[in-house]
Amino acid sequence: MKRVLMAGVLATGLVGIVACNSDSGSGATGTTASGSTNSGGSGSVNTGSTNGLSAATLALGIKGVPDSLSATYSAALKFNRYTQVKAANGKSIHIIAQDKLSDNQIVRARSILTHYLTDLPGSVYGSDKSAVANKMADNGAVLLLLNGSDDGSNPATNLGGQPLYQNEIQVEGGDWYINQSYDGHRDASFEEILHLVHDYGIGVDQNSRFIGALADYQAEIRSAQITALNDKLWGFASPDWIAELTTENSLSQEYLAAVIDSYYGLWGAWSGSQTHGMWGEYVAKSRSEIGSEDPLGAELMNNKFFHPYLTYNARIDESFSGDFSLKFKPELSYTHHSRYLKDVTLTGSLSSNVVVNQLDNLIKGNSGNNIVFFSGSSSQYTVEKLEDGSILVTDMEDGRDGINKLIDIESVAFTDSTITL
């Protein structure tokens, strides 16, 4: 729920690494600067100078902080890595990280930002999101990935930019993600990165000027927010917080974030309420509940701007072993969220497997032994080897397992047999 607006626009036009959802099957191992394992993801953590980053880090599209930014985001303040998302106008949306963030946390933050800015063909406001990305770059959008937690102890919080803290960035397959830790490690990535997109790209009304690209969509968001507040669907438990948001003109941003979090399943595993999400501030915990409890919120998600599934290729943390499920299973708390993943890459060397969902998945293996699990018997699928060496597994039953492209996968398992590829 942290939002910091920048007073000015940072220099743009940097020569840098264009954002990519790296699908490398390998990942460097490492520890945090303090020497302890970072349960938000165990990809390498680089300490000290911004120079001398590992080849594994560079391969992920992460580099040292550029000279044009390093005076502000300095090594003295523990900033040591940088990546970006390039807008269509050639300018950069900056992502700047401090030294305790794992590389996998940086990649995931960039992936979520890229997800929000990925076109949704045929949608009302998202069929071409280049104007939103251009506005973000023109308005000086910066995502700051900061050490620790939001406890007021990090001086970089006041630099300007949208803060997102190390302890609130889960990585698919990491301990915090698998256990769905809300105590100190609740996944705030989607909320905070959405604030960046909303403030600098979509745009917010009721300010001195509108700096965004989607005034009509913001008008719909505002209307839904006003209805939700008046009808006690959102914000009803914290009048002092609502007063604060009113003063800073953040009501519509916080409301939309509550909708998005429940839409993507981020509160499904929360034990604090059986019916409400966002710490009890929002009337719905799940996508289906949004439809029944907050119709205007559901309409904001109905082919307007946001994808119904997650478009990025999720890097399953190298610490993970076992079966990672893309299919919702009530006994696996993380599947409230992973059910919306489509494409995944297993990283590291541990033998780990994937259970598919109903989407058309792209699944890439790691250097261990990997199995992909399907829901039906082998006679209900076709298995085809493509010219590029990948395997295409097609479910002949509609609406069950979809069409799955497999790369570097050793076996596929059906209910009646396992086939070595």
Side-chain angles (χ1 to χ4, degrees):
M1 297 182 182
K2 303 166 295 296
R3 298 174 54 258
V4 179
L5 295 178
M6 296 179 63
V9 178
L10 288 171
T12 55
L14 295 173
V15 177
I17 301 172
V18 177
C20 59
N21 294 331
S22 174
D23 52 21
S24 168
S26 62
T29 58
T31 60
T32 63
S34 63
S36 61
T37 300
N38 184 344
S39 295
S42 58
S44 61
V45 176
N46 294 278
T47 60
S49 170
T50 58
N51 297 320
L53 300 182
S54 71
T57 295
L58 297 173
L60 294 173
I62 300 169
K63 65 176 187 176
V65 180
D67 291 343
S68 56
L69 296 174
S70 61
T72 300
Y73 306 101
S74 65
L77 287 173
K78 302 187 182 302
F79 287 99
N80 72 338
R81 280 159 296 163
Y82 171 88
T83 189
Q84 65 179 320
V85 171
K86 273 290 186 85
N89 61 10
K91 298 178 181 179
S92 301
I93 303 168
H94 307 295
I95 303 172
I96 312 171
Q98 289 185 321
D99 58 8
K100 291 187 179 180
L101 277 291
S102 72
D103 287 346
N104 280 346
Q105 287 178 307
I106 297 172
V107 170
R108 187 169 190 256
R110 186 184 62 201
S111 296
I112 293 170
L113 176 56
T114 303
H115 162 70
Y116 282 139
L117 296 177
T118 297
D119 293 344
L120 178 58
S123 62
V124 178
Y125 301 110
S127 59
D128 180 0
K129 297 183 182 179
S130 60
V132 174
N134 288 345
K135 281 290 188 181
M136 291 181 69
D138 287 341
N139 291 327
V142 174
L143 179 62
L144 297 181
L145 305 181
L146 303 181
N147 293 343
S149 302
D150 181 23
D151 56 10
S153 64
N154 193 323
T157 303
N158 300 317
L159 287 179
Q162 175 62 52
L164 175 60
Y165 289 85
Q166 167 200 357
N167 287 338
E168 58 188 16
I169 306 174
Q170 296 179 3
V171 171
E172 286 87 357
D175 286 346
W176 299 345
Y177 185 95
I178 295 300
N179 296 322
Q180 282 301 286
S181 305
Y182 290 88
D183 184 12
H185 300 297
R186 169 244 165 177
D187 192 351
S189 304
F190 285 82
E191 176 191 359
E192 305 302 347
I193 295 170
L194 176 62
H195 289 332
L196 186 76
V197 175
H198 198 165
D199 285 330
Y200 291 94
I202 294 172
V204 178
D205 59 331
Q206 300 183 12
N207 289 324
S208 58
R209 64 188 181 96
F210 188 83
I211 65 171
L214 298 178
D216 289 345
Y217 192 35
Q218 171 60 14
E220 292 188 28
I221 296 168
R222 178 68 72 183
S223 177
Q225 172 258 299
I226 291 171
T227 298
L229 190 58
N230 289 341
D231 293 352
K232 300 187 185 307
L233 307 179
W234 167 78
F236 43 82
S238 303
D240 291 343
W241 179 58
I242 292 299
E244 178 185 344
L245 297 181
T246 301
T247 299
E248 64 184 30
N249 193 26
S250 298
L251 289 168
S252 68
Q253 298 95 303
E254 294 292 351
Y255 164 73
L256 183 63
V259 177
I260 278 289
D261 261 22
S262 291
Y263 186 70
Y264 287 134
L266 289 160
W267 289 95
W270 184 50
S271 61
S273 171
Q274 295 300 311
T275 57
H276 289 63
M278 194 57 84
W279 303 118
E281 295 287 353
Y282 184 53
V283 73
K285 285 187 72 173
S286 66
R287 185 172 296 191
S288 61
E289 290 174 0
I290 297 173
S292 60
E293 302 295 334
D294 182 14
L296 291 182
E299 187 60 25
L300 293 176
M301 302 294 106
N302 184 20
N303 202 39
K304 293 294 178 70
F305 184 86
F306 297 100
H307 287 262
Y309 59 85
L310 300 173
T311 57
Y312 62 88
N313 190 307
R315 290 171 51 82
I316 308 305
D317 194 71
E318 60 221 44
S319 64
F320 180 80
S321 63
D323 301 337
F324 187 88
S325 182
L326 303 179
K327 186 187 296 293
F328 175 64
K329 297 183 177 182
E331 69 274 17
L332 297 176
S333 59
Y334 72 90
T335 62
H336 286 278
H337 183 46
S338 69
R339 68 195 297 183
Y340 300 116
L341 289 171
K342 181 177 178 289
D343 303 330
V344 298
T345 293
L346 301 169
T347 68
S349 59
L350 297 178
S351 293
S352 49
N353 313 308
V354 176
V355 179
V356 302
N357 57 19
Q358 79 282 6
L359 301 172
D360 295 338
N361 306 128
L362 171 63
I363 301 172
K364 298 185 179 183
N366 62 13
S367 60
N369 186 67
N370 309 131
I371 304 170
V372 174
F373 289 94
F374 294 87
S375 304
S377 62
S378 56
S379 62
Q380 298 170 323
Y381 298 79
T382 62
V383 180
E384 176 186 3
K385 186 171 183 177
L386 304 180
E387 290 184 1
D388 62 3
S390 64
I391 304 296
L392 196 68
V393 181
T394 302
D395 189 352
M396 293 184 286
E397 180 176 311
D398 291 339
R400 186 174 58 178
D401 286 347
I403 301 172
N404 294 269
K405 185 174 183 179
L406 314 180
I407 298 174
D408 294 331
I409 298 295
E410 283 71 33
S411 305
V412 291
F414 304 101
T415 56
D416 62 338
S417 62
T418 298
I419 298 174
T420 299
L421 301 176

